[in-house]
Amino acid sequence: MQCVLSLSNWLGSPCDAIVLATPENWRTATHITEADQATGGLLSRLLESGEISTKPCKTTVLQSPAGISAKQVVLVGIGAPSDWKAITANRSAGAALKAISSKSREIVRLVGFTGAGEIERAAVAGAMAGCVGQDLFRKEKSLFQPETLEWHGLQEENIRKGFAIGESVNLTRKLVNLPPNYLYPESFAEAAQSVAQQYQLSIEIWDKAKLESERCGSLLGVARGSVKEPRLVILQYRGAEPSVAPIALVGKGVTFDSGGYSIKPTDGMLTMKCDMAGAATVLGIMQAAARLQARCNLVAVMGLVENLVSGDAFKLGDVLTARSGKTIEIHNTDAEGRLVLADCLDVAAGFSPSKIVDFATLTGACCVALGNDISGLMTNAVEWQTEIQSAADRCGEFVWPLPMHSFFSEQIAGKVADIKNVGEGRWGGAITAAKFLEEFVQQIPWTHIDIAGPAFLDSPKAWCDAGGSGTLVRTFAELLSSS
Ligand code: BES
Ligand code: MN
Ligand code: ZN
């Protein structure tokens, strides 16, 4: 697929579909009145009678309306002028594309998606996500990407950047959607390798022997139960002077989480291929930053393991020694993500980053606290967290802070070892998990993002198929490239 600026007479030149962003005050939108005139008043009749809704993401498809040389005209609601933000642009463009992508199309032209830079980029990325589904292994695909998306009136730079962001979001989504027999630590590392090659990132891949010599005992403890050997991937992007300290991005890459001996029931295990979404998010962000030539230095650390049961798997009561030297008593083998991240955070801290952010599908408790559409933020540095929160607000993605009071740490004190890998009971489970991670970030400003809710959609949305969502790739692409 390609995204280009529409240079043609948008009403007159033939194409497969024209998508019209349709605001509540459509009478004042020139592209709607022009299309209305061309169709002899058809659009205004349907809008006035309420047959066409202008509510955000509501789509109406008209088949070859007389007067317009497009095979289809799609009206997608964008709501009131005050709704015209990145979230509406992203979702309405996605909904429009999703509505017409059940067949392959050559040229789809989109009109009325102009706005501030982040709005235009959000529209482009949204359209690209709307026409890509999770049907990776189906002979009969349910969604098809058009060959060309022609954008009318957008700034060409926003089309180019939005396209890079959209491809990165779709990369993350695809990795999350790949089944765990296809995507496991080694094959994930290969995917990272190909991104690195394509966009000139430097890459280091630690195999099991290297992880042992680096004394990554916490990550290795989780990995023991699987015949698939673990990997730790370090990617570096240099977009600023070498003297500028990097920002570290850390990702949980549990390619399948059975829970281990604290085994999950079938229903809870079914979607646990998504447990590498944190690492996939980091890879998507690295790709986007490189393509946008962000003016910063980045180091990414992704911890890749499979959490299974076997005669050699880690057990309850085991004590693991993390790379930092801290000892960890295992009270629940299903609290494995924090064990993987403990060593990844320690590796990241070794690069003396100015700040760290980690992404992880870490706790069901975070979904209980915030629902499925909001990621939890937990930090030791409120300014860094606020910077992330405002970038997410600008992009129309949802994050919310959870409190990190020091008394939560009491819950993870160990009896046999320094710390234990769960709190006392379930309450505040997202926070006790974050408190565990905080033990491994030294004094570096750090924000933990629990994406357990939004990373994987159980059911489809109007603007996006179910499965991997690519949540927060847009936010960090914008955050990192905006300075
Ligand atoms: N990967 C899960 C968390 C998760 C749950 C992600 C639902 C996405 C959707 C994590 O490894 C886990 O199992 N966490 C436990 C922690 C508990 C044992 C302290 C949980 O949330 O139940
Ligand atoms: Mn688990
Ligand atoms: Zn997990």
Side-chain angles (χ1 to χ4, degrees), residues 252 254 256-257 259 264 272 275 307 334-337 361-363:
K252 169 179 174 182
V254 176
F256 184 72
D257 181 14
K264 289 180 184 293
M272 278 303 134
D275 215 19
N307 186 22
D334 199 11
E336 85 297 341
T361 48
L362 204 63
T363 66

Side-chain angles (χ1 to χ4, degrees), residues 95-116:
L97 263 290
K98 190 160 176 255
I100 54 168
S101 295
S102 56
K103 275 183 59 190
S104 61
R105 321 246 173 226
E106 273 167 40
I107 298 175
V108 175
R109 192 175 297 143
L110 297 102
V111 186
F113 289 89
T114 54

Side-chain angles (χ1 to χ4, degrees), residues 403-422:
M404 286 279 278
H405 296 297
S406 57
F407 53 75
F408 283 103
S409 297
E410 294 159 18
Q411 292 194 34
I412 55 166
K415 292 200 183 73
V416 177
D418 297 328
I419 50 176
K420 60 185 168 76
N421 78 328
V422 291

Side-chain angles (χ1 to χ4, degrees), residues 141-174:
K141 301 285 180 208
S142 46
L143 288 172
F144 297 83
Q145 280 183 285
E147 268 166 40
T148 304
L149 298 184
E150 273 187 20
W151 295 87
H152 180 78
L154 263 56
Q155 280 195 18
E156 209 155 5
E157 196 196 3
N158 290 329
I159 299 175
R160 191 178 55 74
K161 289 183 171 171
F163 182 73
I165 295 170
E167 286 205 318
S168 304
V169 170
N170 282 341
L171 166 68
T172 299
R173 293 177 63 215
K174 183 180 173 182

